[in-house]
Amino acid sequence: AQSVTQLGSHVSVSEGALVLLRCNYSSSVPPYLFWYVQYPNQGLQLLLKYTSAATLVKGINGFEAEFKKSETSFHLTKPSAHMSDAAEYFCAVSSGFQKLVFGTGTRLLVSP
Amino acid sequence: EADIYQTPRYLVIGTGKKITLECSQTMGHDKMYWYQQDPGMELHLIHYSYGVNSTEKGDLSSESTVSRIRTEHFPLTLESARPSHTSQYLCASSEQGSSDTQYFGPGTRLTVL
């Protein structure tokens, strides 16, 4: 069965610092992988997705993620954090049957 | 990107009331989903649909029911609300052959007193 593990329920960075949010997956088939962002009292917004094309995926708002099969990882990065990046981030893997399995989320805190 | 709408955005009701949470999408997506999310917690799939007249229960057991009479509409109903139903409910849709990408509505935050 497919599953996702997000390391760290909270990550704190200073404005301008590198953002690194970790995601490891387990999948019995070549996976589709996703990162979503959720701002307070809103739904989830798709940041980026991996669908077996390029291993380095660029998304919106300056985020990118690299698919590493050998490490079963799909970590999300951004070179320089902005205050507006403070939100909850969810990694997800396609479970097949057109369903997604979500991680428990990582709250990103950005300090001035 | 899908346009997907949920109403109401916020709802406070008393125990025992019947409620329906509305979800509509304008992109003609076949697949639609309902998730339940407690504050600061992960998403749990409670219902999904592959198309008109198709509904399935998700991974988390729920006392709610859904219907899919029209492609664009996927309402969720609670016959008798209880405080344990207090949560955020998120609706999503996806297109056939879209690598399972799901697009989410803004959510309905339900409080049952």
Side-chain angles (χ1 to χ4, degrees):
Chain A
Q2 281 70 15
S3 66
V4 166
T5 301
Q6 291 185 241
L7 297 177
S9 59
H10 293 79
V11 170
S12 295
V13 299
S14 299
E15 193 171 20
L18 171 71
V19 175
L20 171 61
L21 304 182
R22 300 179 185 273
C23 173
N24 288 89
Y25 70 92
S26 171
S27 177
S28 56
V29 298
Y32 294 147
L33 292 159
F34 306 82
W35 276 101
Y36 285 86
V37 61
Q38 184 179 34
Y39 298 101
N41 298 316
Q42 294 188 26
L44 276 67
Q45 180 183 6
L46 180 66
L47 272 179
L48 49 82
K49 63 181 179 181
Y50 167 76
T51 58
S52 75
T55 56
L56 182 62
V57 182
K58 294 187 183 298
I60 62 172
N61 301 339
F63 284 93
E64 63 182 35
E66 186 172 8
F67 173 71
K68 292 187 177 180
K69 184 178 179 180
S70 60
E71 299 177 7
T72 61
S73 68
F74 191 56
H75 301 332
L76 182 71
T77 60
K78 182 175 180 178
S80 176
H82 294 167
M83 296 295 291
S84 59
D85 294 327
E88 189 88 18
Y89 291 80
F90 290 93
C91 183
V93 62
S94 173
S95 69
F97 308 104
Q98 295 91 44
K99 292 196 288 181
L100 296 182
V101 174
F102 286 86
T104 52
T106 297
R107 182 169 298 276
L108 177 64
L109 306 168
V110 183
S111 57
Chain B
E1 187 172 330
D3 289 326
I4 183 164
Y5 308 97
Q6 290 186 244
T7 57
R9 290 293 318 279
Y10 302 91
L11 180 61
V12 180
I13 60 167
T15 297
K17 300 291 186 183
K18 177 181 179 179
I19 61 166
T20 296
L21 307 185
E22 302 288 349
C23 176
S24 296
Q25 49 97 3
T26 60
M27 299 303 289
H29 287 174
D30 289 325
K31 291 169 281 187
M32 296 189 74
Y33 311 81
W34 276 104
Y35 292 87
Q36 185 173 339
Q37 182 186 31
D38 292 325
M41 303 291 285
E42 64 198 283
L43 284 76
H44 294 285
L45 181 67
I46 53 175
H47 298 283
Y48 60 101
S49 167
Y50 290 147
V52 171
N53 295 325
S54 155
T55 60
E56 303 286 345
K57 290 191 178 296
D59 304 320
L60 179 69
S61 175
S62 173
E63 295 169 344
S64 58
T65 59
V66 293
S67 61
R68 190 87 184 276
I69 298 173
R70 303 197 315 266
T71 297
E72 64 271 20
H73 195 213
F74 191 41
L76 180 146
T77 298
L78 277 166
E79 290 292 335
S80 180
R82 295 205 301 267
S84 60
H85 297 139
T86 294
S87 190
Q88 171 147 271
Y89 293 85
L90 294 169
C91 181
S93 71
S94 67
E95 186 177 22
Q96 190 73 23
S98 64
S99 63
D100 300 341
T101 304
Q102 293 183 17
Y103 299 95
F104 284 79
T108 294
R109 183 165 295 282
L110 172 66
T111 302
V112 184
L113 302 176

